[in-house]
Amino acid sequence: GLTRVVDVPNAVDADVFRPQTSDFRQRHGIGTDEFVALYVARFQAFKNHAMLMEAFARFAKDHSASRLLLAGSGPLQERIQQQAAALGIDRKVMFLGEVPFKELPGVYAAADAKVISSDYESFCFAAIEAMSMALPVLTTDCAWVPRLVADGAGIVVPVGDAEAFAAGLKRLADNPALRQKLGAAGRDLVLTRHTWPASAAKLLELYRRLAPAAG
């Protein structure tokens, strides 16, 4: 017979990852007027931090009041730190290392945009965490994430294209109203589709359909 596939999406705790204030900027000497982009990802090749460094260096040439926060660790971290120094953006790039889960919302809250520079992605929890925080998402066309942000929650650029990624950063940095609009759409999408109760309800409904009628 036919195999039917039912999509029960992964979810995020929208009460934990919600728009909120944070003292992260204050603690790290980041001005309220600075544009802050955040990437939460392990330092692995497919996450393509190298392209992100190129893009951010281009963008920062005419956006000096900007920072890039990198949360995560991994085998390529040292190489990316060297690249940031070579590009002259090491003062703008903050390597946060592994951020404890309970501290993540405060880091997201300090950002103006979530960036994803991956060459490919499966389900990306960091994307829905950012959307749940009402952050706009700038992502490469890396399979799964673009579908997630397609309904007005972000900007999608080609994989591996530093110039296009830099243009996306510029668009977000220069348009606070656009950031707010994309972020609000992302939050709405999460509340509709990606909360644990929403996923649980889908799963429960599936079980009810599959279970033979009692009695």
Side-chain angles (χ1 to χ4, degrees), residues 101-125:
F101 186 75
K102 66 179 195 308
E103 291 174 23
L104 267 178
V107 178
Y108 280 107
D112 294 301
K114 170 76 170 80
V115 296
I116 297 168
S117 54
S118 303
D119 293 335
Y120 64 89
E121 275 296 342
S122 57
F123 192 93
C124 180
F125 275 103

Side-chain angles (χ1 to χ4, degrees), residues 18 25 37 62 64 71 79 89 94 108 130 135 139 146 148:
R18 60 177 164 68
R25 286 191 183 219
D62 56 1
S64 58
R79 188 186 299 177
I89 54 172
M94 292 180 61
Y108 280 107
L135 280 184
T139 182
L148 182 67

Side-chain angles (χ1 to χ4, degrees), residues 56-125:
F56 197 80
R58 284 173 185 245
F59 160 76
K61 282 194 179 100
D62 56 1
H63 290 78
S64 58
S66 59
R67 301 281 183 114
L68 175 60
L69 310 180
L70 301 176
S73 61
L76 297 179
Q77 181 172 338
E78 197 176 330
R79 188 186 299 177
I80 299 303
Q81 285 171 314
Q82 289 165 353
Q83 184 188 2
L87 288 166
I89 54 172
D90 44 326
R91 285 191 162 166
K92 295 185 181 301
V93 182
M94 292 180 61
F95 292 82
L96 304 178
E98 292 292 334
V99 177
F101 186 75
K102 66 179 195 308
E103 291 174 23
L104 267 178
V107 178
Y108 280 107
D112 294 301
K114 170 76 170 80
V115 296
I116 297 168
S117 54
S118 303
D119 293 335
Y120 64 89
E121 275 296 342
S122 57
F123 192 93
C124 180
F125 275 103

